[in-house]
DNA sequence: ATGGTGGCATGGCCA
């Protein structure tokens, strides 16, 4: 079972990219972030034509998440964080086969010390409490998403800039990610690869992709029960090379053979 | 240093 995560930065613009990548990569499950469209406009028919059933939670202009599953409808769908009031559509969870999937579009946070940064940390604390319960209910748990946090210095192109005082790498953000991992979750990419300089996001500005000035902020986390089944994990750089790309590349984990 | 690029409620906002 191949499970992936992709921030498409507008599904209106990126539907052709998603369709091509589904054909190329043939994932079984995909968490999509930043769909940026209302539920009424979600392209579920186009995705069904490729064999994928979709569940989604969106809004105009900002945010929006979905889970796609090949050949079966995601079941027991949960939208949002229970008990956490939030206008922003950033969370969807569902069961596919015998695996519980949680898809997160983590708050960006703008800059350390801003109101948005405080919201990011509050939001992450609420996610942690919810995932503690979710993990107890569903030992076979995979959490994917745009985490908007680079786990450590290997995951940034310039550790002198991207460090404790900077958004996406600040100590409080990394501590919040650590608190999620401490629930018994593992960054699947790091189960198989300890190299530095493998990225999933490159800013549109300053020719960052051409210069490979990226960060690894798109993650797939597997629970203790799935750790031994996570046989491979990676990032597909190719869609970032296409015309009019998302600024993110898909990240994936494979469970079993 | 407060721009650089891209998306969308096309006018500022968010990333």
């Amino acid at each position: 079972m191949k499970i992936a995560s992709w921030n498409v930065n507008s599904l209106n613009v990126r539907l052709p990219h998603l369709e091509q990548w589904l054909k190329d990569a043939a994932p079984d499950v995909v968490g999509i972030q930043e769909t940026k469209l209302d539920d009424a406009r979600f392209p579920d028919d186009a995705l069904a034509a490729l064999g994928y059933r979709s569940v989604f939670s969106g809004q105009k202009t900002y945010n929006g998440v979905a889970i796609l599953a090949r050949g079966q409808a995601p079941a027991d769908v949960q939208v949002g964080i229970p008990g956490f009031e939030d206008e922003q559509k950033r969370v969807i969870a569902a069961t596919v086969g015998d695996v519980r999937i949680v898809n997160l579009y983590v708050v960006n946070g703008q800059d350390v010390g801003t109101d948005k940064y405080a919201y990011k940390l509050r939001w992450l604390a609420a996610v942690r409490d919810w995932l503690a319960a979710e993990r107890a209910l569903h030992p076979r748990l995979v959490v994917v998403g745009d985490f908007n946090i680079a786990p450590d210095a290997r995951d940034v192109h310039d550790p002198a800039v991207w460090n404790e005082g900077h958004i996406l790498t600040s100590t409080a953000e990394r501590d919040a990610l650590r608190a999620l991992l401490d629930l018994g979750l593992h960054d699947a990419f790091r189960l198989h690869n300890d190299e530095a300089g493998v990225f999933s996001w490159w800013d549109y500005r300053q020719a960052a992709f051409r210069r490979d000035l990226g960060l690894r902020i798109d993650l797939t986390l597997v629970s203790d029960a799935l750790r031994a089944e996570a046989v491979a994990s990676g990032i597909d750089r190719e869609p970032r090379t296409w015309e009019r790309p998302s600024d993110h590349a898909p990240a994936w984990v494979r469970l079993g053979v």
Side-chain angles (χ1 to χ4, degrees), chain A residues 29-32 53-56 65-69 74 92-94 96 101 103:
Chain A
V29 182
V30 189
I32 301 286
R53 305 275 293 271
S54 307
V55 294
F56 39 84
V65 286
I67 293 174
L68 282 46
I92 190 166
V96 179
I101 307 290
N103 178 29

Side-chain angles (χ1 to χ4, degrees), chain A residues 24-75:
Chain A
D24 293 348
D28 296 290
V29 182
V30 189
I32 301 286
Q33 305 89 35
E34 285 207 271
T35 58
K36 297 188 174 180
L37 41 75
D38 277 328
D39 289 349
R41 299 189 55 186
F42 192 90
D44 46 349
D45 288 344
L47 296 170
L50 295 177
Y52 288 87
R53 305 275 293 271
S54 307
V55 294
F56 39 84
S57 173
Q59 63 190 102
K60 270 188 202 173
T61 311
Y62 302 120
N63 308 310
V65 286
I67 293 174
L68 282 46
R70 189 163 59 164
Q72 57 188 313

